[in-house]
Amino acid sequence: NMNIKNYMIGQTYAETISITREKVLGFASISGDENPIHVDEDFAKNSFYKKNIAHGMLLAAFISKIFGMNFPGPGCIYGSQNFKFLKPVFIDDELLIVVEVTEIDLAKSKLTFSTVCSVNDVEVLVGEAKIYIPKV
C-alpha cells in the first residue's frame, strides 16, 4: 500500500543492469528500431563509435521498470520523463541507474525524481521524471 507521505526528498533507489546484445536485439525487434548502429556489428565497426551502441530508449525502459516494479512500485503512474543522452552505452557495459526524489507535491500526490544512468562513474543519461502515487 503506497502512500506519498512515506517518501522523503533525497530518498534514492539504485540498480545495475547489464547491457547485453540479446537485450539490444530484443528491443530493436519490439520497437522496430533496427538502425544498424544498434544491431549490425560490421556497420558499427566503420561508424564513429566503432561498436554497436544501445538504444537510448532501451535505457529509458529500464528506468520505467524501476518506477513500475521497484520504487515507488506497482500502482504508481508515470506522468512524464525528459532525457539528455550524454554518452553512448555499449554492449557489455554495466549500467548503474539511480533515481532520487527531488520534490514532493502532496496536493497532487506527485513525486519528482532525478534519473541518472552511468557507466564506470561517467554519466551517460540524465533526466527528470514525474510519478503519481495513487491516493489512499
Side-chain angles (χ1 to χ4, degrees), residues 30-116:
I30 289 167
S31 67
D33 181 355
E34 297 182 351
N35 182 331
I37 195 60
H38 302 306
V39 300
D40 183 326
E41 289 180 81
D42 291 330
F43 178 91
K45 282 177 192 163
N46 298 310
S47 75
F48 179 78
Y49 295 116
K50 306 296 180 209
K51 312 190 267 192
N52 291 126
I53 61 173
H55 303 73
M57 296 312 287
L58 174 59
L59 312 183
F62 292 132
I63 294 170
S64 175
K65 173 263 181 199
I66 286 172
F67 289 135
M69 299 306 295
N70 305 105
F71 183 71
C76 74
I77 304 297
Y78 211 154
S80 67
Q81 174 79 58
N82 65 36
F83 294 116
K84 286 186 182 163
F85 300 106
L86 303 176
K87 303 262 183 201
V89 173
F90 300 101
I91 289 163
D92 297 327
D93 279 349
E94 290 292 314
L95 185 74
L96 173 65
I97 303 172
V98 180
V99 300
E100 179 177 352
V101 178
T102 57
E103 291 175 47
I104 299 170
D105 183 334
L106 292 174
K108 292 184 178 168
S109 201
K110 179 176 70 178
L111 299 172
T112 302
F113 288 85
S114 69
T115 54
V116 178

